[in-house]
Amino acid sequence: MSSLLIGEILSLSMFAVVIAALMMGYPVVFTLAGVGFAFGLVGHLFGAFDLSYFNALPLRYWGILNNDVLIAVPLFIYMGVMLERSGIAEDLLRTLGEVFGRLHGGLAFSVILVGSLLAASTGIVGATVTTMALISLPAMLRTGYNKELAAGLIAATGTLAQIIPPSTVLVFLAVIMQTANSQVQLAKGNFTPATLSVGDLFAGAFIPGIILSCLYALWVIFMIIIKRDSAPPMVTQRSPGLYRKVVVALAPTLLLIIAVLGSIIAGVATPTEAASVGAMGAVLLTMVRMIGNALSKRLPEDQVERALFWYWIATVVLLVVLAVTTGANGVLTGSVLMTAAALLFILLRGDTRPVFVKVLTGVAQQSLNLTVMVFVIFLGATVFSLVFTRLGGEAVVGEFLSRMPGGAHGAVFVVMFIVFILGMFLDTFEILFIVVPISAPILLKMDVDPVWLSIMLAVNLQTSYLTPPFGFSLFFLRGVAPPEVTTGHIYRGIVPFVGLQIVCLTIVWIFPQLATWLPTVIYGN
Amino acid sequence: MSDPLSAGTSSAAGAGPQWLRAVADRIDSISGMIGKTVAWLTLATVLICFATVYLRYAMHIGLIWLQELYAWTHVAAITMGAGYVLLKGGFVRVDLLYARMSVRGKAWVDLLGTVFLMMPFLVMMAISGWSFFRQSLAMNEASQQDTGLPWLWLLKGTLVVFVFAVGLQGVSMAARSLATILAPREAKPEKNGSGAVGGA
């Protein structure tokens, strides 16, 4: 047999072996890297792989670790983890739950709204699902919600963080797609290819993200119509001064969203710059809440509430005035001074200082955890895809995809199907780092639009959180759900929402403009 | 390394080979210390990056070395913190079967995985990473920008640190698994690093 054929056989058996190995449960990163390396050695024995390819790995790793754009990822993670500790999600769920609670499906709508807001301020899927399961799920159950609906809604809404920008998945997708696209364009003889930026994908994901939120809401309405008591209204009185609580919870969230997302999409700041501003904003938000908590131990609660209310009103007004009169200079300086004042207050008080240090320590460790996890998965997957490609696997996949009926559309469909199936067993980032580098160049060569392809992949990858047996969102929900919500409720509850994901994919498939229109409007073509 | 005193509280775990647990405990405490220190680099990345934003947008000053500094803290956090994340069970497993396995079954998976999947990969990384570092060191590589940071080889060398940090923690995981496997059946099971963290 020729070494070429052996290489192709090996590359295909790699997938079978890696899936079997992954099922054993050893950490995915090292399974990917170890299996990749082993196949490199075997390929070398048969003359189908040159071991010197491994010498290129450190340079590739360097390119991933020291990538200007990807530095946005740890900053977004820091922002997300800090926001999680700030308790803003709890506040939003409680207050908006109270605002909408007396409607049919009101608690469900507040969950969708809060999920979307958190997603737009760089939510972290696990954290969002956990918070909702702890706060909204008990309230929904007390009110008499259908358990499947409540569980499915919370699991699905938590994953909006993955598709609604800013999202770390989109940052990675942008970098990988951009690499693939410039290769393909160069090979085609186009030496000045249009670049694909993080901003393009953030803008592109915006409308599909909103479509998903709306689909979830429509599903809740549909459920209420066919079965009136599946999402009954809450029977509590609104607490006095509710509007103040709403402002205190909403104002900082909206400020963060506008500052971070606005400046990236408007092209004022790079994603990395915007993410660092967002992370600092999250720190300030946490400090203000901490001060509020400390004060409520001494002063009557509604007095503190009023103070916080006026604080955020004043902050919004001040920032708007500064933005209009002095631009970025004033806004940044104003924010720095506010942060410094809050920091001083916290550090000078014996009761807040240890709490703050504890939060900072926890956030640092959790951020390190999440950052290392995604980046190191990238490193492990790089070994795997390097060996796969060099063994000739890319040629096999390319030929297979080009033979699909329907041309480029058939090929995209097959890739989407594979991603969906893999999503049942693997985590978003693993699929992203294995499948996209291998398949994207082939699809882009067939003139598939890179923005559209990225958004389709992003929605599909988001679904991987929801598909049993191995869906992270389900896993998190099961971990914190009250005992009367069983695994069966969660699995049955998620089915319609996976269906909605497929509906969204179909809509964006039929109307690609939903993904490509906004980026062209903002950035031109 | 096998200081019997460091077995500490886990010596109650029964008649398994104590020195294996002692080694694992010692390594765990080293990784823990490194990780807790390195974790602050995430905050440093945020602060330094924000400082460049402030200087750029408010004062119209661009400092290339400061921009490179947050790239340094970012890279160093990942390469030096990986061992700690392994200790904390931060690396995702497909735990469909793993979660249902006995303590011994898990120990076998961890032991075999570490020996046959992780270690060969790390050896390869050590070799290629070392020559990557040596090349950079040989030409005393610095930033390509005039006003950038010197000693880029130092940062590139952290790829080798990554191999050692993860490898060391791998040794701990293997030792603990081996201890569990060798322990008599009725001995109290030792907890292993496992679990999962969500995506970001």
Side-chain angles (χ1 to χ4, degrees):
Chain A
M1 276 198 285
S2 75
S3 63
L4 200 67
L5 185 60
I6 292 174
E8 292 185 346
I9 294 172
L10 281 177
S11 63
L12 290 184
S13 39
M14 254 179 108
F15 263 100
V17 170
V18 86
I19 287 180
L22 285 172
M23 285 301 138
M24 296 315 296
Y26 194 67
V28 174
V29 199
F30 301 113
T31 309
L32 287 175
V35 170
F37 180 60
F39 269 84
L41 289 182
V42 174
H44 175 71
L45 288 180
F46 287 100
F49 184 86
D50 187 345
L51 285 185
S52 66
Y53 286 130
F54 285 134
N55 285 329
L57 272 176
L59 193 64
R60 285 207 190 187
Y61 284 3
W62 187 248
I64 293 166
L65 294 172
N66 199 21
N67 181 305
D68 283 347
V69 179
L70 292 183
I71 297 180
V73 170
L75 300 172
F76 278 131
I77 288 177
Y78 192 94
M79 178 182 172
V81 175
M82 183 55 89
L83 277 182
E84 176 197 348
R85 304 276 165 128
S86 74
I88 193 77
E90 285 87 341
D91 282 2
L92 284 169
L93 285 170
R94 288 213 176 86
T95 54
L96 294 179
E98 247 185 278
V99 171
F100 297 113
R102 290 187 302 178
L103 297 171
H104 271 280
L107 282 173
F109 298 134
S110 71
V111 162
I112 296 172
L113 185 60
V114 174
S116 311
L117 284 171
L118 291 175
S121 51
T122 191
I124 289 177
V125 174
T128 311
V129 172
T130 309
T131 312
M132 288 178 165
L134 288 174
I135 305 225
S136 300
L137 191 55
M140 288 162 118
L141 296 176
R142 266 198 311 274
T143 318
Y145 269 61
N146 176 303
K147 285 178 189 146
E148 280 91 356
L149 178 65
L153 182 72
I154 285 175
T157 310
T159 65
L160 285 175
Q162 207 58 277
I163 186 70
I164 295 183
S167 124
T168 48
V169 168
L170 292 175
V171 176
F172 277 111
L173 254 176
V175 169
I176 296 173
M177 277 289 168
Q178 161 63 15
T179 314
N181 195 37
S182 58
Q183 276 170 14
V184 169
Q185 296 303 326
L186 276 177
K188 279 185 175 178
N190 176 3
F191 293 103
T192 51
T195 54
L196 181 79
S197 71
V198 174
D200 283 322
L201 292 200
F202 279 10
F206 201 75
I207 296 176
I210 292 176
I211 291 179
L212 272 174
S213 311
C214 293
L215 284 174
Y216 296 167
L218 285 175
W219 178 253
V220 173
I221 294 172
F222 175 74
M223 286 298 284
I224 295 170
I225 292 173
I226 58 168
K227 199 157 172 270
R228 197 131 180 91
D229 60 349
S230 55
M234 214 162 48
V235 281
T236 46
Q237 285 296 312
R238 280 186 190 168
S239 52
L242 180 61
Y243 73 96
R244 282 198 301 268
K245 286 187 187 158
V246 172
V247 169
V248 169
L250 264 184
T253 317
L254 291 176
L255 274 181
L256 273 180
I257 294 174
I258 293 166
V260 176
L261 207 51
S263 58
I264 297 173
I265 291 185
V268 179
T270 67
T272 307
E273 291 169 340
S276 77
V277 174
M280 288 304 290
V283 175
L284 174 62
L285 172 60
T286 308
M287 289 197 292
V288 172
R289 270 190 52 102
M290 210 174 270
I291 292 171
N293 287 345
L295 290 181
S296 2
K297 282 183 193 135
R298 308 247 177 114
L299 303 167
E301 200 145 327
D302 70 297
Q303 204 173 325
V304 177
E305 216 180 272
R306 272 168 218 275
L308 280 176
F309 170 73
W310 287 113
Y311 175 84
W312 284 115
I313 294 281
T315 304
V316 171
V317 172
L318 182 74
L319 288 181
V320 170
V321 170
L322 284 173
V324 172
T325 53
T326 59
N329 184 358
V331 173
L332 283 169
T333 309
S335 313
V336 168
L337 290 177
M338 272 192 283
T339 310
L343 185 65
L344 201 64
F345 188 95
I346 283 180
L347 292 184
L348 286 179
R349 285 175 62 109
D351 55 342
T352 46
R353 198 185 321 120
V355 185
F356 185 61
V357 171
K358 209 175 141 201
V359 167
L360 279 187
T361 313
V363 171
Q365 287 172 11
Q366 179 69 0
S367 304
L368 182 73
N369 220 335
L370 293 171
T371 307
V372 168
M373 185 194 73
V374 280
F375 275 90
V376 176
I377 289 178
F378 204 167
L379 305 188
T382 303
V383 182
F384 186 85
S385 54
L386 172 86
V387 175
F388 181 79
T389 310
R390 294 298 179 188
L391 280 173
E394 201 174 43
V396 178
V397 174
E399 192 163 327
F400 172 72
L401 287 178
S402 64
R403 280 193 192 158
M404 284 300 122
H409 273 88
V412 175
F413 184 84
V414 171
V415 171
M416 296 303 285
F417 183 75
I418 291 170
V419 168
F420 185 84
I421 298 295
L422 285 177
M424 296 179 177
F425 305 98
L426 294 181
D427 163 61
T428 297
F429 288 101
E430 292 145 25
I431 306 171
L432 173 63
F433 298 145
I434 300 172
V435 175
V436 180
I438 293 172
S439 63
I442 300 166
L443 298 176
L444 294 177
K445 221 174 280 172
M446 299 176 170
D447 286 325
V448 174
D449 184 282
V451 172
W452 177 74
L453 180 62
S454 304
I455 303 307
M456 290 291 286
L457 281 167
V459 176
N460 200 343
L461 287 169
Q462 181 208 345
T463 314
S464 76
Y465 275 87
L466 302 176
T467 40
F470 192 72
F472 257 122
S473 196
L474 311 179
F475 174 80
F476 286 122
L477 181 56
R478 200 184 52 191
V480 290
E484 65 262 39
V485 176
T486 62
T487 308
H489 287 131
I490 296 175
Y491 279 11
R492 281 194 300 278
I494 203 62
V495 173
F497 288 92
V498 173
L500 293 175
Q501 296 292 123
I502 296 174
V503 170
C504 178
L505 281 171
T506 315
I507 295 175
V508 180
W509 178 281
I510 298 172
F511 304 104
Q513 301 86 345
L514 291 171
T516 56
W517 174 72
L518 201 54
T520 29
V521 168
I522 297 174
Y523 303 106
N525 205 352
Chain B
M1 278 298 232
S2 59
D3 176 6
L5 291 175
S6 70
T9 50
S10 71
S11 60
Q18 280 309 314
W19 67 273
L20 279 173
R21 291 187 206 278
V23 168
D25 286 341
R26 176 60 68 87
I27 293 176
D28 288 359
S29 73
I30 295 172
S31 291
M33 250 157 43
I34 296 174
K36 281 172 188 154
T37 315
V38 165
W40 291 105
L41 289 176
T42 59
L43 177 62
T45 310
V46 170
L47 292 174
I48 299 169
C49 188
F50 182 78
T52 64
V53 170
Y54 186 78
L55 290 174
R56 180 173 160 196
Y57 289 90
M59 326 274 266
H60 305 286
I61 300 172
L63 297 177
I64 288 172
W65 64 267
L66 201 61
Q67 280 178 24
E68 288 183 354
L69 191 59
Y70 69 74
W72 277 58
T73 54
H74 162 66
V75 174
I78 295 172
T79 49
M80 293 162 68
Y84 171 75
V85 174
L86 182 60
L87 166 70
K88 289 287 164 189
F91 291 118
V92 188
R93 300 166 185 264
V94 179
D95 70 347
L96 212 56
L97 301 175
Y98 187 83
R100 288 173 198 157
M101 286 180 195
S102 65
V103 176
R104 246 165 223 277
K106 288 180 181 170
W108 274 111
V109 167
D110 285 346
L111 181 64
L112 295 177
T114 306
V115 173
F116 292 107
L117 294 171
M118 181 203 278
M119 289 304 173
F121 160 66
L122 288 181
V123 169
M124 181 268 286
M125 267 296 294
I127 296 170
S128 58
W130 179 251
S131 73
F132 183 67
F133 165 65
R134 285 292 300 274
Q135 269 175 28
S136 177
L137 181 64
M139 56 176 161
N140 190 16
E141 190 177 8
S143 162
Q144 291 179 355
Q145 311 279 341
D146 282 346
T147 51
L149 291 172
W151 306 325
L152 191 59
W153 46 267
L154 202 60
L155 188 59
K156 289 192 168 175
T158 63
L159 273 183
V160 182
V161 177
F162 168 83
V163 172
F164 278 100
V166 174
L168 194 62
Q169 198 50 48
V171 169
S172 158
M173 192 153 94
R176 213 175 279 284
S177 306
L178 194 59
T180 307
I181 291 165
L182 294 178
R185 290 231 166 232
E186 64 278 9
K188 233 187 158 160
E190 181 85 8
K191 210 178 82 193
N192 250 319
S194 74
V197 204

